[in-house]
Amino acid sequence: MRHSRFDCSPGCSVEAAISLIDGKWKCVILFHLLAGTMRFNEIRRVVPSVTPRMLTNQLRELEEDHLIERKVYPQVPPKVEYSLSPLGRSIEPILLSLKEWGDLNIGRFGKPLAPATAAAT
């Protein structure tokens, strides 16, 4: 079982929430899905650092946790689309707050956004 049982001590709800989005790329994937439904290769293009295997694993875990929905179209070649579930959509304010905090503090831990990039976000 991927998620352990929680003992409901103080911080338990935080631990439970974090356990759902604890993968390296999960929050990034969820953030990009805020814009709408995407196919696998579209996600790969917006998250170029993730390997196909890791992206597949992260998508599977997000689906298992009911944060995203996967729709397979019966056609050749197969067409698969990913979108946020209602539960995944409920994380939107948290993801937007993380982005805002990251934008304000990126100079502390990474390269600042280029002026043209910063204006577009």
Side-chain angles (χ1 to χ4, degrees):
M1 195 167 147
R2 261 184 354 98
H3 300 291
S4 62
R5 294 207 76 54
F6 301 102
D7 63 5
C8 292
S9 61
C12 170
S13 56
V14 173
E15 185 181 355
I18 294 295
S19 75
L20 294 177
I21 56 172
D22 67 350
K24 180 174 181 180
W25 300 105
K26 287 182 183 178
C27 284
V28 176
I29 293 165
L30 292 169
F31 177 79
H32 286 293
L33 287 175
L34 290 174
T37 300
M38 300 177 83
R39 295 179 68 183
F40 185 87
N41 282 329
E42 290 176 302
I43 298 169
R44 280 199 60 208
R45 277 192 289 278
V46 296
V47 189
S49 301
V50 67
T51 64
R53 181 173 182 256
M54 177 59 77
L55 179 57
T56 298
N57 289 340
Q58 300 279 270
L59 288 168
R60 283 183 184 151
E61 289 180 12
L62 288 166
E63 184 183 10
E64 285 172 21
D65 293 333
H66 307 286
L67 294 174
I68 65 170
E69 295 172 346
R70 180 177 181 262
K71 184 171 182 179
V72 180
Y73 294 88
Q75 65 185 48
V76 177
K79 177 181 174 182
V80 180
E81 293 181 336
Y82 298 92
S83 59
L84 292 175
S85 68
L87 180 63
R89 182 61 66 181
S90 71
I91 297 174
E92 181 172 3
I94 297 163
L95 295 171
L96 294 176
S97 292
L98 281 170
K99 183 194 181 308
E100 182 180 333
W101 184 88
D103 287 346
L104 291 171
N105 293 285
I106 196 160
R108 296 173 187 255
F109 47 79
K111 292 200 266 187
L113 293 173
T117 308
T121 57

